[in-house]
Amino acid sequence: EIAQAESEEAALAAAARVLKESPHPSIVMRLGEQDAEVVAVNNPIRQKGELVGQKVNVNIQELARQLHTPTLVNDLGRNDVLPAGLARPLREIGCKSGAFLPVMVQGQPSALILIGEQPGQPLTSQAVRPYTGITSLLGATLEKVKRLQDSQARLTELEALASFNQVALSSNEV
């Protein structure tokens, strides 16, 4: 389902649907230029208002430097590994520890999948391993979507040039 997506929104929504079936709380975030937006929340331990659509101010360059591989944080209250504010959404749904999995597109983080622990069961790297496969698939899909959009933009540009050339040639013949 993720691999068939034809847009970023569809790919993130498909990832959220897949994560809904997992036993762990999860959050899918889209990274913008200045912030991260919560796209989906699944299996929260507690519901504290509506998180979907909330934005977290985060320095994307700092995030790219600090978070290029999956990162486990055992105590979200004492987070010194991640950019400020990034642990807040997991804390808000009742998690005390979590995994932060970057979705890489052309070497840069494009989205994040946050996985929370189940009550009384801190996350381990082994428990997080299946989620890294989802982030890899999502990254490949987002890369495919970006290449397709770039190709379509280039094709539109070439069609416009061809039309202009046709008009220019026909006006020269007159």
Side-chain angles (χ1 to χ4, degrees):
E1 182 179 2
I2 295 171
Q4 272 67 46
E6 294 183 8
S7 69
E8 179 187 43
E9 293 78 23
L12 294 173
R17 284 191 296 278
V18 168
L19 290 169
K20 193 173 230 165
E21 303 302 318
S22 82
H24 295 95
S26 65
I27 296 174
V28 177
M29 300 181 87
R30 173 187 300 121
L31 298 180
E33 298 211 7
Q34 300 295 321
D35 57 20
E37 178 185 4
V38 175
V39 175
V41 177
N42 293 312
N43 310 319
I45 295 168
R46 71 169 186 261
Q47 193 67 34
K48 183 181 179 187
E50 183 61 37
L51 283 178
V52 175
Q54 273 192 17
K55 296 193 180 206
V56 176
N57 288 332
V58 63
N59 182 320
I60 299 301
Q61 287 77 27
E62 181 183 343
L63 178 79
R65 272 194 319 278
Q66 292 180 330
L67 198 63
H68 51 281
T69 60
T71 302
L72 285 173
V73 177
N74 290 321
D75 184 354
L76 294 174
R78 295 183 334 112
N79 166 39
D80 54 358
V81 179
L82 301 169
L86 204 53
R88 182 179 50 82
L90 275 178
R91 283 196 316 266
E92 286 186 14
I93 63 169
C95 299
K96 294 182 177 141
S97 67
F100 297 80
L101 311 171
V103 176
M104 305 301 279
V105 175
Q106 297 176 340
Q108 294 295 317
S110 172
L112 281 174
I113 294 180
L114 285 55
I115 306 297
E117 95 287 357
Q118 293 174 317
Q121 299 176 11
L123 283 174
T124 63
S125 51
Q126 187 168 358
V128 172
R129 193 166 293 128
Y131 300 104
T132 61
I134 293 170
T135 60
S136 295
L137 177 60
L138 182 55
T141 301
L142 291 175
E143 204 156 314
K144 173 192 78 169
V145 165
K146 181 162 180 30
R147 279 195 311 267
L148 181 62
Q149 289 171 339
D150 290 348
S151 294
Q152 288 173 334
R154 182 71 178 139
L155 180 60
T156 301
E157 195 176 287
L158 290 173
E159 287 172 342
L161 284 172
S163 293
F164 178 76
N165 284 341
Q166 263 185 334
V167 168
L169 286 173
S170 62
S171 68
N172 283 341
E173 292 172 0
V174 175

